[in-house]
């Protein structure tokens, strides 16, 4: 009996397989062909890998997208989407997703199924929250959330251990969760244009961080142990409320550029005179005395000092 | 041999089964095909009507004749509005979006001008010399959008479930916006349009088998509007909603249950599909407004929040708790115009709002600067003028308190309260503060005697002649826009600095402008709730208006423009409302029917 069911299943499978083979034109190479609509891709549903509906004026994504389980690349940039269907979570082979410039208010919890996801752009939407499922995407290395409505970030973000690039510029962030410090592999972090008053001390554990952008926030001081961010190449803190810098900044041997324009810095820490490896030091718009500037110029002859 | 036979039997069985499935699918897809055809025909008519109007304009037609074209085109739109709004939300905005300037945060200086019927209406009905050029531009835009809805409409995937869902949402749209004149403020053709909308509903319901009950209820509602369609001011909206539309909505709900048509799962929606009607208890899904991972039914967490709410240690000098300003016995307000700032003997910038139903808003604060209660709480505690607290210091002092720690341990596993946990608990408590069992709610749930005749009359004014309902949307009576309630509208009213009407001065608070710097947001404020307003004087973001009567008078004279302020961007129409003394009294009485300051107490914490 059991055998029979298996047999009929095999027959049915072969029939279906034959059918789908029959409907396919041989010319299309699923690996490289970029499908432009869901119906078009559905004709190759077991092999279609790339789907781009960029600037296609769509306002809703069909439920049927869930059948395209071989898709690895999905581009829905610049449409008028307000939501995604839950079925989209079935695309478990997705590696790259571009959802920029839509009107997304939220994402379905089912995206926890995107286990192969490495890269996602969600910039220019109306997001203020992420589904918890997002934090299960252990392969994610690039997350672009810029130009959205986040005023806080779920602590779950700390679970995205593979993250290398995190872009949160132009949101309304008031605080960051301390869990963000768990992103030890992070290399680039853009937090410009938010409402941050401080960044968590825990962030100094991001020992691979190369670029930290904090421009246009309300930051009053940087973490005392900032010197631990030993890979840092550039720090951008333009337009904040800094009065001084932590002494430990001079330990940053890789640091090339320090942008400090438009803060309230009167005096720089003594240790900065030792940072001869610094290429750019931008101090425009701070109440620093002319005497200090000339002393700096003398101490750091190879640094381009802009004031 | 025997095996083979069995295989055969199985295969035949499978074939029969799939055939049967196919047959029921035929019946189902018949409904879908009919609705698709209905959509196509009406979308074609809509396009033709708009093109007609375009031709007439080119032929030099007079304003009156274009007004007729306008009304005709809208009628075709109303027939498919349910589906355009549901499947093509962006097209719906282009065709019949509010006449309000928008802009994207990424391009704050570049206003996105509104398009569609509501803009065209102002041009076609304008009293000044008729601006043909503007009319041409608007009609062209409308033609483009309608064509888009026609073309994209061909790809809509109708299903029984989404057809009924769209119809039901459209009923909500009809009662919250349609009959208030929201989308046809000048032509005031809302009631004849309601007739069209209901006729279309009936036609679509007719495609469903055994739908006699629903059709009859639709016909009854239709008859009722038709009977009164020439009397916009006198139309009894309370009776229409409670006596006709809510029962119809319940019948659709029952039909879905009976015929096992699944309810659409829409996690991104404040009003779920599986509720009987818009005013059913619990109709609003609170989790829609909470961040992922918020625990809505965690009593221990809310109980901890209540303790924190009353705990002065949250403030810098240990002299202020949340309850100092949000006083529970005053519906969580303070009764003051402005409370004291902690800094320099000043007053706070804004009036303390009630917290009852605050959780049912897509944004917090009168400038809408924050989405979640959790973040709002951070803002208040850390704000040097309000509480000036530092979370590190708060944690330390709480951790020493044995009584507190007992409540804490019931809610959390940690050793010491973390900042995050304090916010979570406070937010959980504020989420328990709901009040949706007012006389008005009970009336809408079928208790006909719950509102007095005066209050019913006041409701009808609120939703009609006085235009309040075009901004304060039911059932929350805030600016959260139905039927999705995801977007909070802000408006420019021109609120004065004080209640002095002889020497009025405009308030200088820039409002939402402060958040994104978009010019059209200057002086705009979140449309606050009217629920509990009878007990939360004084009013407006600055507490300038002391009584409900002062507030109604303010609206009656056309807001700030009526006070003589030059406010180019005022979104409140500057016209007089011509409310009589008795009408003002009735509106006040109706606002009294929105009071519920007791329901939240039933939640045992």
């Amino acid at each position: 009996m059991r055998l029979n069911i298996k047999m009929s299943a095999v027959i049915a499978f072969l029939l279906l397989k034959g059918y789908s083979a029959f409907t396919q034109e041989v010319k299309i190479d699923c690996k490289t062909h970029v499908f432009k609509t869901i119906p078009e891709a559905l004709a190759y549903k077991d092999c279609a890998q790339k789907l781009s509906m960029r600037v296609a004026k769509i306002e809703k994504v069909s439920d049927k997208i869930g059948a395209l389980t071989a898709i690895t690349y999905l581009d829905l940039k610049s449409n008028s989407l307000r939501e995604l269907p839950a079925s989209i979570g079935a695309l478990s082979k997705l590696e790259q997703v571009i959802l920029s410039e839509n009107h997304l208010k939220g994402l379905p919890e089912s995206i926890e199924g995107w286990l192969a996801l490495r890269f996602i752009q969600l910039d220019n939407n109306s997001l203020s929250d992420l589904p918890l499922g997002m934090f299960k995407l252990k392969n994610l290395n690039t997350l672009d959330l810029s130009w959205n409505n986040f005023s806080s970030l779920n602590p779950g973000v700390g679970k995205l251990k593979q993250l290398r690039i995190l872009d949160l510029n132009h949101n309304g962030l008031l605080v960051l969760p301390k869990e963000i410090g768990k992103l030890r592999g992070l290399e680039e972090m853009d937090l410009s244009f938010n409402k941050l008053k401080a960044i968590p001390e825990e962030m100094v554990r991001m020992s691979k961080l190369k670029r930290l952008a904090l421009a246009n926030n309300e930051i009053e001081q940087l973490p005392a142990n900032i010197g631990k961010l030993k890979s840092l190449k550039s720090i951008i803190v333009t337009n904040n409320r800094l009065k001084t810098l932590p002494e430990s900044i001079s330990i940053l041997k890789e640091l090339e550029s320090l942008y400090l324009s438009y803060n309230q810095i009167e005096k720089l820490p003594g240790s900065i005179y030792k940072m001869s490896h610094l290429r750019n030091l931008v101090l425009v718009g701070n109440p620093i005395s002319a005497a200090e500037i000339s002393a700096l110029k003398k101490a750091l002859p190879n640094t381009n000092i802009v004031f | 041999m025997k095996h083979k036979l069995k295989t055969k039997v199985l295969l035949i069985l499978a074939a029969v089964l799939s055939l049967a499935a196919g047959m029921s699918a035929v019946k189902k897809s018949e409904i879908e095909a009919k609705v698709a055809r209905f959509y196509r025909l009406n979308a074609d008519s809509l396009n033709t009507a708009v093109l007609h109007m375009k031709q007439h304009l080119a032929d030099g037609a007079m304003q009156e004749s274009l007004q007729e074209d306008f009304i005709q085109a809208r009628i075709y739109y109303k027939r498919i509005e349910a589906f355009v709004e549901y499947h093509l939300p962006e097209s719906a905005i282009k065709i019949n979006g509010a006449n309000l300037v928008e802009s994207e945060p990424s391009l704050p200086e570049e206003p996105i001008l509104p398009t569609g019927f509501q803009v065209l209406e102002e041009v076609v009905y304008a009293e000044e010399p008729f601006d043909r050029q503007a009319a041409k531009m608007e009609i062209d835009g409308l033609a483009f959008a309608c064509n888009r809805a026609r073309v994209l409409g061909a790809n809509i995937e109708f299903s029984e479930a989404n057809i009924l869902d769209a119809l039901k949402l459209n009923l909500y749209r009809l009662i919250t916006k349609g009959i208030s004149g929201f989308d046809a403020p000048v032509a005031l053709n809302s009631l004849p349009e309601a007739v069209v909308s209901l006729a279309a509903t009936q036609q679509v319901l007719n495609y469903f088998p055994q739908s006699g009950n629903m059709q009859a209820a639709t016909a009854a509602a239709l008859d009722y509007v038709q009977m009164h369609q020439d009397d916009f001011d006198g139309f009894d909206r309370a009776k229409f909603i409670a006596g006709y539309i809510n029962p119809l909505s319940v019948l659709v709900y029952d039909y879905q249950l009976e015929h096992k048509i699944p309810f659409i799962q829409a996690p991104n929606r404040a009003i779920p599909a599986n509720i009987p009607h818009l005013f059913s208890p619990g109709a609003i899904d609170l989790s829609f407004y909470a961040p992922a991972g918020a625990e809505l039914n965690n009593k221990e967490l809310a109980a901890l929040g209540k303790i924190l709410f009353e705990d002065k240690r949250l403030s810098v000098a240990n002299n202020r708790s949340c309850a100092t300003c949000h006083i529970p016995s005053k519906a969580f307000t303070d009764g003051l115009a402005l409370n004291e700032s902690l800094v320099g003997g000043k007053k706070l910038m804004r009036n303390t709002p009630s917290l009852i139903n605050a959780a049912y808003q897509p944004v917090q604060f009168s400038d809408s600067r924050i989405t979640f209660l959790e973040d709002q709480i951070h803002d208040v505690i850390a704000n040097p003028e309000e509480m000036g607290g530092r979370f590190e210091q708060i944690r330390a002092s709480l951790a020493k308190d044995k009584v507190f720690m007992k409540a804490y341990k019931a809610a959390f596993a940690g050793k010491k309260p973390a900042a995050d946990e304090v916010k979570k608990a406070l937010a959980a408590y504020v989420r328990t503060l709901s009040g949706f069992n007012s006389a008005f709610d009970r009336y809408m749930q079928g208790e006909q005697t719950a509102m007095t005749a005066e209050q019913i009359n006041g409701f009808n004014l609120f939703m009609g002649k006085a235009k309040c309902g075009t901004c304060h949307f039911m059932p929350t009576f805030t600016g959260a826009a139905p039927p999705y309630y995801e977007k909070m509208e802000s408006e420019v009213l021109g609120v004065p600095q004080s209640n002095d009407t002889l020497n009025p001065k405009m308030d200088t608070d820039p409002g939402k402008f402060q958040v994104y710097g978009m010019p059209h947001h200057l002086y705009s404020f979140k449309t606050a709730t009217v629920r509990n307003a009878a007990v939360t004087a004084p009013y407006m973001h600055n507490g300038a208006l002391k009584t409900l009567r002062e507030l109604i008078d303010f609206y009656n004279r056309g807001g700030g423009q009526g006070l003589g302020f030059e406010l180019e961007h005022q979104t409140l129409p500057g016209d007089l409302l011509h409310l009589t003394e008795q009408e003002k009294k009735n509106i006040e009485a109706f606002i009294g029917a929105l009071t519920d300051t007791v329901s939240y107490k039933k939640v045992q914490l």
Side-chain angles (χ1 to χ4, degrees):
Chain A
M1 186 66 188
R2 201 169 269 171
L3 190 77
N4 290 334
I5 293 176
K6 264 193 189 156
M7 273 172 64
S8 44
V10 166
I11 293 169
F13 178 75
L14 289 174
L15 276 172
L16 276 174
K17 195 72 186 164
Y19 173 73
S20 63
F22 177 72
T23 57
Q24 277 173 29
E25 285 176 42
V26 261
K27 277 179 254 163
I28 284 182
D29 176 4
C30 270
K31 274 213 179 85
T32 55
H33 186 77
V34 182
F35 292 89
K36 298 281 190 220
T37 67
I38 293 174
E40 197 184 298
L42 278 171
Y44 298 84
K45 75 177 179 50
D46 300 322
C47 87
Q49 292 199 2
K50 296 190 168 143
L51 177 63
S52 168
M53 297 191 280
R54 191 177 267 241
V55 209
K57 293 193 176 154
I58 47 173
E59 303 184 15
K60 227 175 192 177
V61 175
S62 165
D63 260 344
K64 294 189 181 132
I65 198 170
L68 301 173
T69 47
I71 293 278
T72 60
Y73 172 88
L74 175 64
D75 183 353
L76 289 164
K77 181 170 171 163
S78 267
N79 283 291
S80 308
L81 304 175
R82 278 152 195 261
E83 56 183 8
L84 297 174
S87 66
I88 207 165
L91 311 190
S92 59
K93 300 227 168 71
L94 270 179
E95 292 172 15
Q96 280 190 61
V97 173
I98 302 169
L99 288 162
S100 317
E101 295 170 22
N102 279 287
H103 305 303
L104 294 172
K105 271 268 175 184
L107 298 170
E109 194 58 55
S110 65
I111 64 165
E112 66 181 4
W114 292 351
L115 291 173
L117 194 72
R118 287 188 282 110
F119 176 100
I120 186 164
Q121 276 183 310
L122 286 159
D123 56 294
N124 285 285
N125 278 288
S126 307
L127 300 171
S128 49
D129 199 16
L130 295 170
L132 298 182
M134 178 115 206
F135 308 123
K136 297 186 184 156
L137 308 182
K138 294 283 165 10
N139 293 309
L140 195 62
N141 64 41
T142 304
L143 176 58
D144 183 354
L145 296 170
S146 59
W147 295 97
N148 277 288
N149 290 331
F150 289 91
S151 43
S152 63
L153 205 57
N154 195 299
V157 72
K159 297 189 183 146
L160 298 173
K161 294 283 193 296
Q162 290 301 316
L163 216 53
R164 286 196 280 118
I165 300 178
L166 177 58
D167 195 342
L168 281 158
N169 81 69
H170 286 92
N171 278 283
L173 291 171
L174 295 163
V175 262
L176 289 173
K178 61 178 189 302
E179 287 77 2
I180 204 149
K182 295 186 184 158
L183 302 176
R184 303 286 162 79
L186 210 62
E187 293 170 15
E188 278 185 41
M189 170 122 138
D190 192 342
L191 293 162
S192 311
F193 290 91
N194 279 287
K195 297 187 183 123
L196 297 169
K197 291 205 159 60
I199 58 170
E201 279 289 337
E202 287 80 0
M203 267 174 61
V204 303
R205 295 185 199 139
M206 298 175 172
S207 57
K208 301 219 167 91
L209 197 66
K210 291 197 184 103
R211 181 173 178 272
L212 177 60
L214 297 165
N216 294 71
N217 278 281
E218 299 162 14
I219 296 174
E220 289 163 14
Q221 67 193 67
L222 293 173
N225 287 323
I226 197 160
K228 290 195 179 161
L229 291 172
K230 57 178 196 278
S231 307
L232 264 183
K233 282 190 189 317
S234 86
I235 308 180
I236 305 163
V237 215
T238 316
N239 276 310
N240 276 283
R241 299 181 184 163
L242 293 180
K243 294 215 166 66
T244 181
L245 291 179
E247 284 280 347
S248 77
I249 198 144
S250 64
I251 319 173
L252 296 172
K253 286 290 173 259
E254 301 287 322
L255 197 67
E256 292 171 0
S257 301
L258 187 51
Y259 298 91
L260 297 168
S261 6
Y262 302 104
N263 279 283
Q264 295 150 22
I265 302 173
E266 278 181 47
K267 203 147 172 45
L268 290 163
S271 63
I272 207 155
Y273 288 83
K274 288 183 264 169
M275 297 183 74
S276 53
H277 54 285
L278 206 58
R279 294 237 190 93
N280 300 298
L281 176 60
V282 185
L283 295 164
V284 182
N286 284 288
I288 301 182
S289 68
E292 168 130 31
I293 299 278
S294 56
L296 262 175
K297 283 196 157 171
K298 210 175 269 170
L300 306 174
N302 298 323
T303 306
N304 174 25
I305 301 177
V306 187
F307 58 96
Chain B
M1 188 62 202
K2 217 178 164 193
H3 276 308
K4 262 191 192 157
L5 195 73
K6 266 195 182 168
T7 316
K8 241 186 195 164
V9 170
L10 268 169
L11 278 176
I12 290 169
L13 203 71
V16 168
L17 277 175
S18 72
L19 203 73
M23 261 161 59
S24 79
V26 168
K27 207 181 88 206
K28 189 172 158 233
S29 69
E30 215 170 85
I31 299 175
E32 290 153 12
K34 280 181 180 161
V35 175
R37 192 177 122 84
F38 170 88
Y39 183 93
R40 198 174 63 242
L41 292 178
N42 284 291
D44 285 347
S45 304
L46 170 62
N47 275 275
T48 313
V50 176
L51 292 177
H52 259 299
M53 183 164 30
K54 190 173 160 168
Q55 190 58 48
H56 280 177
L57 181 77
D59 294 346
M62 304 298 286
Q63 231 174 326
E64 291 75 45
S65 119
L66 290 169
Q67 289 171 2
E68 277 168 30
D69 290 348
F70 174 84
I71 285 181
Q72 187 56 48
R74 272 191 70 91
I75 281 178
Y76 287 119
Y77 179 64
K78 284 285 156 181
R79 291 180 60 80
I80 48 172
E81 182 181 30
F83 303 116
V84 181
E85 288 273 4
Y86 194 88
H87 296 280
L88 304 170
E90 197 67 19
S91 295
I93 291 175
K94 297 236 160 70
I95 297 175
N96 193 28
N99 189 2
L100 288 174
V101 180
E102 301 272 343
S103 43
E104 296 285 335
S106 49
L107 295 169
E109 301 288 334
E110 276 179 39
I112 302 170
L113 298 177
T115 63
F117 279 123
Q118 298 189 41
V119 187
L120 181 59
E121 182 184 20
E122 298 227 330
V123 180
V124 174
Y125 284 82
E127 274 167 26
E128 293 102 86
F130 179 42
D131 185 347
R132 288 193 171 267
Q133 196 48 42
K136 180 173 179 336
M137 218 178 78
E138 292 309 331
I139 295 175
D140 283 348
L142 184 64
F144 185 81
C146 290
N147 191 45
R148 175 172 156 154
R150 187 180 64 86
V151 174
L152 292 176
N155 299 327
I156 295 178
E157 290 163 7
F158 289 107
S159 71
E160 290 182 15
N162 72 31
I163 293 166
L164 293 178
D165 195 27
L167 289 182
K168 216 158 125 201
L169 284 175
N170 208 42
L171 291 177
Y172 302 162
R173 188 175 291 115
L174 175 71
I175 55 179
T176 54
K177 285 178 163 173
I179 57 172
S180 72
F182 173 85
D183 59 346
V186 195
L188 281 189
N189 200 38
S190 309
L191 297 182
E193 284 183 359
V195 172
V196 175
S197 189
L198 286 166
T201 307
Q202 194 184 351
Q203 187 173 344
V204 173
L205 288 174
N206 177 40
Y207 302 145
F208 285 80
Q210 296 156 331
S211 61
N213 281 350
M214 293 192 293
Q215 286 185 59
T218 317
L222 189 156
D223 284 345
Y224 186 77
V225 199
Q226 205 156 29
M227 222 154 47
H228 302 280
Q229 66 174 356
D230 298 323
D231 186 7
F232 182 83
D233 285 353
F235 183 54
D236 189 345
R237 291 162 171 87
K239 184 165 175 195
F240 175 63
I241 298 169
Y244 294 93
I245 300 298
N246 290 345
L248 169 58
S249 185
V250 174
L251 286 174
V252 177
Y253 171 80
D254 289 344
Y255 182 89
Q256 274 191 264
L257 286 179
E258 198 180 319
H259 291 78
K260 302 204 166 54
I261 299 172
F263 291 101
I264 294 284
Q265 296 292 315
N268 290 328
R269 214 158 93 190
I271 308 273
N274 62 345
I275 54 155
H277 65 78
L278 188 57
F279 306 92
S280 304
I284 309 178
D285 178 1
L286 196 49
S287 70
F288 177 73
Y289 299 114
E295 296 167 54
L296 292 182
N297 296 313
N298 185 337
K299 285 256 167 81
E300 286 75 23
L301 188 63
L304 180 69
K306 185 169 192 287
I307 296 173
L308 285 164
F309 193 83
E310 287 152 11
D311 196 325
K312 294 192 168 143
R313 280 171 299 193
L314 293 193
S315 66
V316 62
N318 293 329
N319 60 354
R320 259 185 191 181
S321 71
C322 310
T324 311
C325 297
H326 301 286
I327 305 167
S329 63
K330 293 189 173 163
F332 296 86
T333 64
D334 50 18
L336 304 170
L338 301 173
N339 212 313
E340 303 294 324
S341 165
L342 283 182
V343 182
K346 287 188 300 183
K347 298 271 185 203
L348 288 180
M349 188 165 153
R350 307 239 168 96
N351 172 258
T352 308
S354 171
L355 297 186
I356 298 179
N357 301 329
Y360 293 80
Q361 304 179 101
V363 292
Q364 302 293 326
F365 293 132
S366 52
D367 51 17
S368 307
R369 64 182 180 272
I370 276 177
T371 308
F372 297 120
L373 286 170
E374 280 79 354
D375 304 331
Q376 174 279 326
I377 285 158
H378 176 90
D379 203 68
V380 174
I381 296 181
N383 186 329
E385 295 200 27
E386 291 186 28
M387 296 172 89
R390 296 259 169 202
F391 273 103
E392 277 316 306
Q393 175 191 327
I394 295 168
R395 288 180 66 188
S397 79
L398 291 177
K400 283 185 227 141
D401 177 342
K402 283 202 184 112
V403 182
F404 175 82
M405 285 309 287
K406 195 169 161 223
Y408 170 76
K409 293 258 154 91
F412 290 107
K415 289 213 176 73
K416 242 192 197 178
D420 235 30
E421 295 168 337
V422 170
K423 289 185 229 171
K424 264 192 168 170
L426 278 165
Y429 172 60
V430 177
R431 289 198 178 96
T432 65
L433 304 177
S434 74
F436 286 100
N437 192 30
S438 65
F440 165 79
D441 296 295
R442 294 195 302 274
Y443 179 90
M444 285 300 168
Q445 286 155 14
E447 194 183 318
Q448 284 178 21
T449 54
M451 285 207 286
T452 66
E454 238 193 348
Q455 288 171 330
I456 292 174
N457 187 274
F459 171 76
N460 291 329
L461 289 160
F462 188 95
M463 291 299 292
K465 183 179 174 186
K467 303 195 176 104
C468 321
T470 61
C471 292
H472 297 277
F473 301 113
M474 293 190 294
T476 61
F477 292 90
T478 65
Y484 297 115
Y485 300 95
E486 59 170 16
K487 185 171 175 239
M488 178 65 96
E489 300 288 2
S490 287
E491 306 277 350
V492 181
L493 303 182
V495 174
Q497 279 179 16
S498 76
N499 59 351
D500 178 357
T501 52
L502 294 176
N503 277 309
K505 291 205 181 61
M506 209 177 84
D507 187 83
T508 53
D509 186 335
K512 199 174 173 183
F513 177 77
Q514 240 175 356
V515 185
Y516 295 113
M518 300 183 193
H520 66 276
H521 283 158
L522 189 62
Y523 309 125
S524 85
F525 293 89
K526 178 181 84 183
T527 305
T529 186
V530 185
R531 285 185 179 266
N532 292 316
V535 295
T536 59
Y539 304 106
M540 304 311 198
H541 66 274
N542 55 0
L545 305 179
K546 304 295 172 218
T547 62
L548 279 179
R549 180 50 72 89
E550 281 181 13
L551 175 127
I552 293 170
D553 281 335
F554 167 77
Y555 285 114
N556 192 35
R557 60 165 66 89
Q561 286 177 359
L563 286 167
F565 304 154
E566 281 194 30
L567 253 179
E568 196 194 336
H569 296 302
Q570 182 171 313
T571 56
L572 174 76
D575 326 312
L576 303 182
L577 293 175
H578 302 292
L579 297 173
T580 65
E581 185 58 26
Q582 187 58 46
E583 287 174 336
K584 292 179 192 172
K585 273 195 189 143
N586 290 354
I587 295 175
E588 271 182 66
F590 164 64
I591 293 176
L594 288 173
T595 303
D596 175 5
T597 57
V598 291
S599 286
Y600 80 87
K601 293 180 186 160
K602 296 196 187 107
V603 183
Q604 295 287 324
L605 293 179

